[in-house]
Amino acid sequence: MESAPFTLIEPRLMASWPLYLLASALAVAALMGAVWLWSLKRRDVSMVDAFWAPGFALIAWTLLILTRNVTPFTLLLVFLTTFWAIRLGTYLASRWLFHAEEDRRYAAMRAHHGERFGRVSLYTVFGLQAALMWLIALPLQLAILTVPSPTLGVLGFMGAALFLIGFSLEAAADAQLHAFKADPANEDKVMESGLWGWSRHPNYFGNAVLWWGLFLAAAEAEAARWAFLAPALMTFLLLRVSGVRLLEKTIAKRRPDYESYKTRVNAFVPLPPGWRKRHKSLER
């Protein structure tokens, strides 16, 4: 009699799950290490943003290939992640290629650390992002490592639907902003039409939604439910660290109309145009 392909331990994870998690960590560390070496040659760290989303796809594909746990459930998770990684990675790569100067965030860090920045960026930028990718991808990883693989059920389909909503919001917001910035007449102006009339950061909101969708889909596997802090961490980063808060610190200095824009449009969750201003007037 042939032996079973996997040995189970609680909570229904493959017996070698620590080694698989180590392999995914090494894969994303190798990717970011290579990008770090490239950044030293170019003296530009900005390209790291283009590898953020593809790093998640690398983690998912590494586990799928190593475990050979190919089922409709695992393929759904991997393909959704890859779909997002291709779209966002391509968008950010093209944005980096068309900007001659280093992103102002990294330029400020370079100015602060001076000649040490090349070494410092290994752990403050590239290493940190690799660790965050691995942590945020934990629901996907635990779902792929679950055997027998769950069948696609309500959570899987609801999660996929939520993912597509978030993906569409993020992609549409990026496309609208790109078209706005491509017009020289809009230099120093504030984007206030389309989704940007409903939220000051609709792309970040869409990103948060799609990650909650991926978590919900992965939650078909019981082990993945223990990693509920992963999408919460992504949302926290978008709101309080590298997203909304960081941009709002400096954008008003570059765009004079931004303070007025803030009084009319909600920061994160899309709300009808003028709702913020009307709501404040009712509170008085």
Side-chain angles (χ1 to χ4, degrees):
M1 177 180 292
E2 293 185 2
S3 59
F6 303 112
T7 303
L8 305 183
I9 63 171
E10 295 296 335
R12 294 174 50 187
L13 291 179
M14 299 176 186
S16 299
W17 64 268
L19 293 179
Y20 288 126
L21 290 178
L22 176 60
S24 66
L26 291 175
V28 76
L31 170 67
M32 298 309 280
V35 180
W36 172 69
L37 292 173
W38 187 23
S39 76
L40 294 180
K41 184 176 180 179
R42 293 186 62 98
R43 288 189 59 82
D44 183 357
V45 173
S46 304
M47 79 277 285
V48 69
D49 294 339
F51 290 90
W52 170 253
F56 289 99
L58 175 65
I59 290 171
W61 278 104
T62 296
L63 288 182
L64 188 69
I65 292 170
L66 290 179
T67 64
R68 293 175 293 173
N69 189 20
V70 180
T71 69
F73 171 66
T74 58
L75 286 176
L76 173 68
L77 296 177
V78 173
F79 285 159
L80 288 179
T81 306
T82 305
F83 184 42
W84 168 70
I86 292 172
R87 204 289 305 175
L88 185 58
T90 301
Y91 172 73
L92 294 177
S94 64
R95 192 175 69 175
W96 169 65
L97 289 171
F98 284 102
H99 282 74
E101 297 179 353
E102 189 172 41
D103 185 284
R104 64 178 62 88
R105 296 168 298 164
Y106 303 123
M109 294 174 67
R110 186 180 297 278
H112 175 73
H113 292 286
E115 291 301 318
R116 296 176 53 248
F117 180 63
R119 298 189 302 276
V120 171
S121 66
L122 175 60
Y123 55 88
T124 60
V125 178
F126 297 91
L128 176 60
Q129 289 203 21
L132 289 173
M133 286 181 212
W134 188 86
L135 286 172
I136 294 168
L138 267 179
L140 303 176
Q141 299 189 75
L142 294 175
I144 294 172
L145 291 172
T146 294
V147 285
S149 188
T151 58
L152 280 174
V154 174
L155 289 180
F157 288 113
M158 288 179 60
L162 188 61
F163 168 89
L164 291 174
I165 291 171
F167 178 92
S168 300
L169 285 171
E170 181 187 57
D174 283 342
Q176 290 172 1
L177 185 61
H178 176 75
F180 179 81
K181 288 185 173 182
D183 186 349
N186 292 326
E187 188 174 359
D188 297 329
K189 292 183 180 179
V190 176
M191 173 67 169
E192 200 170 346
S193 59
L195 290 170
W196 299 85
W198 290 64
S199 167
R200 301 202 300 272
H201 304 279
N203 52 341
Y204 292 149
F205 177 77
N207 188 271
V209 170
L210 71 84
W211 271 103
W212 281 104
L214 281 172
F215 167 73
L216 188 61
E220 290 280 16
E222 293 180 10
R225 300 172 193 174
W226 291 94
F228 64 92
L229 289 178
L233 173 59
M234 176 64 93
T235 305
F236 175 78
L237 292 173
L238 291 168
L239 276 170
R240 311 297 292 179
V241 182
S242 62
V244 174
R245 171 175 282 188
L246 183 62
L247 274 178
E248 301 240 325
K249 281 183 177 180
T250 61
I251 196 169
K253 297 177 182 178
R254 295 178 279 113
R255 303 185 186 277
D257 296 334
Y258 198 79
E259 288 299 331
S260 174
Y261 173 60
K262 287 170 65 174
T263 65
R264 298 187 300 276
V265 179
N266 203 41
F268 192 61
V269 179
L271 295 171
W275 183 92
R276 181 180 173 88
K277 193 170 185 178
R278 290 195 302 270
H279 181 68
K280 283 190 172 183
S281 66
L282 289 174
E283 290 179 341
R284 292 172 183 170

